[in-house]
Structures are given as structure tokens and as C-alpha cells.
Amino acid sequence: QVQLVESGGGLVQAGDSLRLSCVASGRITQTMGWFRQAPGKERELVASINWIGSDTYYTDSVEGRFVISRDNTKNTLYLQMHSLRPEDTAAYYCAASRWRTSVSLFQSDFADWGQGTPVTVSS
């Protein structure tokens, strides 16, 4: 089991950029993902990246605006968010999958979760 701690959330205006970080308590060799949950909505997968960073997935609503990356030497996962919109407002969570060679697309694939960091985008 790995402990995950997110940071980097905050209040920004529409069109701004923000970078989220997720630091793991130990070496991470699994596929990782970023999820988000807006008030009153279900948690959804935003992006996923395999363990060497060669395969990524983005949900349609963030494709072309968000970039997921990882630095395994620092045990850190990132989510660079550009052109933020009010509908991106949510709590953002990082998670570690049970798998490693390909991206993971389902919440049930992910075994370890962070506590979340809030992102609020004002119009």
C-alpha cells in the first residue's frame, strides 16, 4: 500500500493554468491516475498514465487542455491543467492502480487513493 498526498489546488479564474502534484510515500511502479469529483456528481477519471509514461489516457472534456506526467525518480505524479473552465471545478484525487503496463480506466482498477485537493475555477 502506498500513501498519496496531493497538492497544488486552489482558486483560479477561467482560462488560467494550474499544476497539481501527487507525492507517493514510496517508489511507485504502477499505473497512476487523476480523478475528480464535483459537488453532487460521481467521481470520474480525468487522466491515466502507465508506469513508464509511454501510454496516457484523457477523458474527452480535458483532452488537449490537461497533461498527465510522472517523475518516478521523485515518486511524483503531475497534472498540468490549462485553459481551465468553471466546469473543471472539483476535488481532484490521485490514485495508484493495481496494474502497470497500460493505462487503467476503471475506479475498481485503483487500489490506493489520496485525500484530494480542491480546484475552483471562477467565471
Side-chain angles (χ1 to χ4, degrees):
Q1 188 175 8
V2 62
Q3 307 297 319
L4 303 170
V5 179
E6 304 96 334
S7 64
L11 172 62
V12 297
Q13 294 186 332
D16 285 351
S17 297
L18 204 59
R19 188 176 80 158
L20 305 182
S21 300
C22 172
V23 178
S25 59
R27 185 168 176 241
I28 45 172
T29 58
Q30 308 98 309
T31 287
M32 300 292 291
W34 284 100
F35 288 78
R36 67 185 179 186
Q37 186 168 20
K41 295 188 177 181
E42 294 186 354
R43 187 160 54 185
E44 65 169 345
L45 176 65
V46 175
S48 180
I49 185 169
N50 69 340
W51 79 282
I52 59 171
S54 62
D55 191 17
T56 57
Y57 163 84
Y58 298 93
T59 193
D60 287 347
S61 61
V62 308
E63 180 80 56
R65 299 188 298 124
F66 290 11
V67 179
I68 188 172
S69 63
R70 63 192 296 163
D71 186 340
N72 290 339
T73 65
K74 298 180 179 179
N75 300 326
T76 303
L77 176 73
Y78 302 99
L79 185 67
Q80 179 68 55
M81 305 185 291
H82 297 293
S83 302
L84 282 161
R85 305 167 180 169
E87 53 264 40
D88 295 319
T89 295
Y92 283 71
Y93 301 87
C94 70
S97 173
R98 295 179 175 84
W99 316 109
R100 61 183 301 188
T101 58
S102 62
V103 296
S104 294
L105 303 180
F106 304 102
Q107 289 194 45
S108 58
D109 290 333
F110 293 85
D112 299 305
W113 296 81
Q115 294 299 308
T117 185
V119 173
T120 302
V121 184
S122 64
S123 58

